[in-house]
Amino acid sequence: MNKIFTLILALLLSLSIFAQAPEKMSYQAVVRDSGDNLVTNQTVGMQISILQGSTSGTAVYVETQTPTTNTNGLVSIEIGTGSLVSGNFSIIDWSADSYFIKTETDPTGGTTYTITGTSELLSVPYALHAKTADNTFSGDYNDLTNKPALQHYGDIKQGFQSVDHDGWVKLDGRLISSLTAAQQTQAMLLSFTTNLPNATNAYLSQNEATLGELSGTNTKNISQNQLPNVALSGSTSSNGNHTHTLRMSSSTTGTNGIQSGIVTNAATGYSSSSSMLPVGNHSHTITTSSLNGDVTQVAFDVTPKTMSVNTFIYLGN
């Protein structure tokens, strides 16, 4: 007479995942006969199925194994390493649905399965899904979804790049129409309608002017009212009498036979000279030349020492 065996399923203990190796799950069960006696040190036949959705769902993976119980009636198997019946364990999408494990056992070691048990796989198998997700990531940041924004339209940066790159456009005064359609849209949203600003030899400044507008200059003219307030003055001594030399032409005769004296700037052509009488205390006016020597004023450069970089605005691709 055939004996009826009962199979007591143990908890799923662990999930083994190894790099460069097939995925597998460790599974254990205790086999007892109808008298509740352990079936020890005996080979048993098992068929393991992974069911999707419910206890009667579609079997997405089926395999068979013939493990041997130990002295405690415990059988240990690794699901995913048995003889394949159908399906592919490595491509099961554990996140797509709930899954159940169905075990069928032949205590005699054959394929006449008389003991059946089904239980739901809970959280542990989902580590396989995490592994699959990790392995499929290319390593390229751009392949990720829901990425945080690293830059925003209108952001400004400076760098040693010489041309546009990764959505960053060089501020070189070019026509907006030369940009891509998407970049033109962003430029116009930033109020650039005809040309991009030209940042060549320009410094960034928050000065309440129109954004992107160039103002100021790198040179400076100094006006007279910007010079130091220094008074220039002078005078001759007015202390005491002194004489002036008078040169007269011998051919000039004034009224009543009195020669008239003519003061000139050159001595040539005069035949005589004499000293005038002292004229008393008096002063002379001094006229000076301009401070810069009456030359044309030239602006001086106020550009500080710089390091050459390029300025870019983010407009996207």
Side-chain angles (χ1 to χ4, degrees):
M1 184 176 73
N2 292 332
K3 294 184 178 179
I4 299 176
F5 292 80
T6 59
L7 181 68
I8 301 176
L9 300 179
L11 293 176
L12 183 63
L13 297 182
S14 63
L15 175 66
S16 300
I17 300 175
F18 303 97
Q20 309 302 323
E23 295 86 347
K24 54 188 177 180
M25 290 189 298
S26 295
Y27 185 81
Q28 293 182 323
V30 175
V31 182
R32 293 179 181 271
D33 61 20
S34 58
D36 202 29
N37 298 309
L38 295 173
V39 177
T40 62
N41 301 316
Q42 183 171 321
T43 299
V44 296
M46 297 184 70
Q47 178 169 279
I48 304 96
S49 303
I50 304 296
L51 308 180
Q52 182 175 354
S54 68
T55 57
S56 59
T58 301
V60 295
Y61 177 77
V62 181
E63 71 173 23
T64 61
Q65 296 199 35
T66 54
T68 299
T69 60
N70 64 14
T71 55
N72 296 314
L74 180 69
V75 63
S76 299
I77 62 173
E78 290 183 329
I79 302 174
T81 63
S83 298
L84 179 64
V85 176
S86 64
N88 188 331
F89 190 84
S90 65
I91 65 172
I92 297 175
D93 185 356
W94 299 101
S95 67
D97 207 338
S98 58
Y99 289 89
F100 296 77
I101 182 167
K102 177 182 179 181
T103 58
E104 300 170 90
T105 306
D106 180 354
T108 66
T111 58
T112 304
Y113 306 114
T114 58
I115 305 172
T116 301
T118 304
S119 60
E120 185 175 6
L121 294 175
L122 300 176
S123 60
V124 175
Y126 288 90
L128 286 171
H129 168 63
K131 178 179 182 295
T132 302
D134 179 67
N135 287 343
T136 58
F137 175 49
S138 66
D140 186 345
Y141 175 81
N142 293 319
D143 287 344
L144 295 174
T145 58
N146 299 320
K147 300 186 295 290
L150 300 182
Q151 59 275 319
H152 301 84
Y153 295 117
D155 283 356
I156 293 291
K157 77 165 187 175
Q158 292 177 311
F160 292 118
Q161 298 91 339
S162 59
V163 295
D164 300 351
H165 57 281
D166 302 325
W168 291 96
V169 178
K170 185 178 179 181
L171 288 176
D172 53 9
R174 79 185 78 171
L175 289 170
I176 300 296
S177 59
S178 67
L179 305 175
T180 67
Q183 290 172 341
Q184 290 181 47
T185 299
Q186 294 303 324
M188 285 187 266
L189 289 175
L190 293 169
S191 300
F192 303 140
T193 56
T194 305
N195 294 79
L196 289 176
N198 190 345
T200 304
N201 293 325
Y203 297 88
L204 302 182
S205 174
Q206 184 174 323
N207 58 9
E208 305 303 326
T210 301
L211 292 178
E213 178 181 323
L214 298 179
S215 60
T217 178
N218 293 334
T219 61
K220 177 68 177 177
N221 288 326
I222 293 183
S223 303
Q224 184 178 10
N225 62 4
Q226 293 174 308
L227 293 172
N229 187 17
V230 177
L232 300 177
S233 62
S235 64
T236 61
S237 173
S238 60
N239 297 324
N241 296 335
H242 60 280
T243 60
H244 290 195
T245 300
L246 175 65
R247 295 184 181 277
M248 295 182 296
S249 172
S250 59
S251 60
T252 303
T253 304
T255 306
N256 301 323
I258 301 175
Q259 274 189 324
S260 60
I262 301 175
V263 179
T264 68
N265 290 326
T268 304
Y270 292 96
S271 59
S272 62
S273 63
S274 62
S275 297
M276 299 178 63
L277 293 175
V279 294
N281 294 341
H282 62 282
S283 63
H284 293 231
T285 299
I286 298 175
T287 302
T288 65
S289 298
S290 66
L291 288 178
N292 71 348
D294 288 323
V295 299
T296 301
Q297 192 176 48
V298 177
F300 62 90
D301 193 345
V302 294
T303 305
K305 187 175 181 179
T306 59
M307 179 177 64
S308 180
V309 294
N310 286 319
T311 304
F312 298 88
I313 185 170
Y314 186 75
L315 297 178
N317 294 310

